[in-house]
Amino acid sequence: MDRQVSEASSNLHHGSIEVVEYRSTTVGTQRKTRIYTPPGFSRNQTYPVLYLLHGIGGDEHEWFEHGEPHLILDRLYADGKLAPMIVVMPNGRAMPEDRAEGDLFAPEKLEAFERFEWDLLHDLIPFVEATYPVSTGRESRAIAGLSMGGGQSLNIGLSHLDQFAWIGAFSPAPNTKTPEQLAPNPQEAATRMSLLWLSCGDEDNLKYVSDRTHAYFAEQGVPHIWVEEQGGHDWPVWRNGLSEFSQRIFRNEPGEGSRR
């Protein structure tokens, strides 16, 4: 396994990121994912898991190379602001040739983003739970992502409330289902979710997706955190989303409701 120690400030205890392969029966190939384990990781304890998804132009390397989640999380651990967790950064394009190359909007590639739901639920999660010391209940499982991955997180998380209690979307893209499709039973969503997070930059040209989703949840009385911040469809917004979302998950406190 290719293990890379995070290069945070020298006075921090570091988490680690490794690239691992798992067998995907969905795709019929070996697939790769990056996995972050927290500072002080021990196989003698169990951890909750955050599945962190990339955008349409990325793959399993995108968060690591552009978002530097290991640095964000290391600093939060140093400040005592995080519950210890494992973070899995998969390739959300479930197809044999899964690199972000050529026409990113080709039908077969968009279908592969939809197919990832099956790969995640039936291949990746079982692999993680068989390989790492993780807790397996829904309260110990979160899903979040940026842009296309934000849409995936809402689509998958809200369709599988038996699997995920914590759901986050940073600037979700138009692959996001309509609000009525996301939560046809708003009361069930309201009672089962521990946290629903939605954030977007105020200059994002895809902000209408977040606006309509936020409006529906507000109208239906579904508790959620809504953050509209300065910025566009870009990494400062997504890094901040990860920082804020990660501090709130795997804790017993109720959600904070909607805010701007």
Side-chain angles (χ1 to χ4, degrees), residues 7-235:
E7 299 175 353
S9 301
S10 59
N11 64 329
L12 297 181
H13 293 290
H14 305 318
S16 295
I17 287 186
E18 59 183 348
V19 178
V20 303
E21 290 190 358
Y22 66 98
R23 179 66 183 175
S24 172
T25 59
T26 300
V27 180
T29 62
Q30 292 291 114
R31 307 197 73 223
K32 292 182 179 180
T33 182
R34 282 187 179 269
I35 297 183
Y36 169 92
T37 51
F41 172 74
S42 170
R43 291 190 172 274
N44 294 322
Q45 68 182 85
T46 58
Y47 298 86
V49 183
L50 165 61
Y51 292 86
L52 185 62
L53 310 184
H54 61 81
I56 194 170
D59 52 28
E60 70 274 13
H61 305 301
E62 183 179 51
W63 267 104
F64 176 73
E65 293 176 350
H66 300 286
E68 300 182 323
H70 51 304
L71 302 186
I72 293 170
L73 299 173
D74 282 353
R75 294 187 186 110
L76 291 173
Y77 280 118
D79 292 337
K81 294 181 177 180
L82 288 189
M85 70 185 77
I86 290 173
V87 182
V88 178
M89 292 163 273
N91 186 325
R93 191 180 294 101
M95 60 190 300
E97 299 298 328
D98 62 2
R99 297 303 91 189
E101 299 171 344
D103 180 5
L104 299 177
F105 294 90
E108 65 272 17
K109 294 182 180 178
L110 296 180
E111 290 170 5
F113 273 99
E114 296 180 9
R115 189 179 305 117
F116 175 71
E117 178 175 350
W118 190 266
D119 180 67
L120 172 66
L121 295 174
H122 298 281
D123 297 314
L124 181 54
I125 289 177
F127 166 80
V128 170
E129 294 182 349
T131 309
Y132 292 84
V134 301
S135 305
T136 58
R138 61 182 296 276
E139 286 290 340
S140 298
R141 200 178 294 124
I143 186 168
L146 67 90
S147 193
M148 179 72 76
Q152 286 178 307
S153 297
L154 292 172
N155 295 347
I156 297 171
L158 288 165
S159 295
H160 298 280
L161 293 173
D162 60 325
Q163 297 290 321
F164 301 96
W166 317 82
I167 302 168
F170 320 137
S171 314
N175 64 312
T176 307
K177 294 178 181 178
T178 66
E180 294 79 9
Q181 291 174 316
L182 287 174
N185 186 341
Q187 186 56 41
E188 178 189 16
T191 57
R192 300 203 69 186
M193 282 187 300
S194 295
L195 174 65
L196 175 61
W197 170 281
L198 182 64
S199 60
C200 192
D202 57 3
E203 297 179 1
D204 193 324
N205 61 358
L206 299 180
K207 184 171 173 288
Y208 70 91
V209 178
S210 296
D211 285 337
R212 75 185 185 193
T213 305
H214 161 58
Y216 177 80
F217 288 133
E219 291 167 1
Q220 298 297 324
V222 178
H224 63 290
I225 295 179
W226 162 238
V227 180
E228 182 181 320
E229 59 182 290
Q230 289 185 332
H233 201 73
D234 52 37
W235 281 102

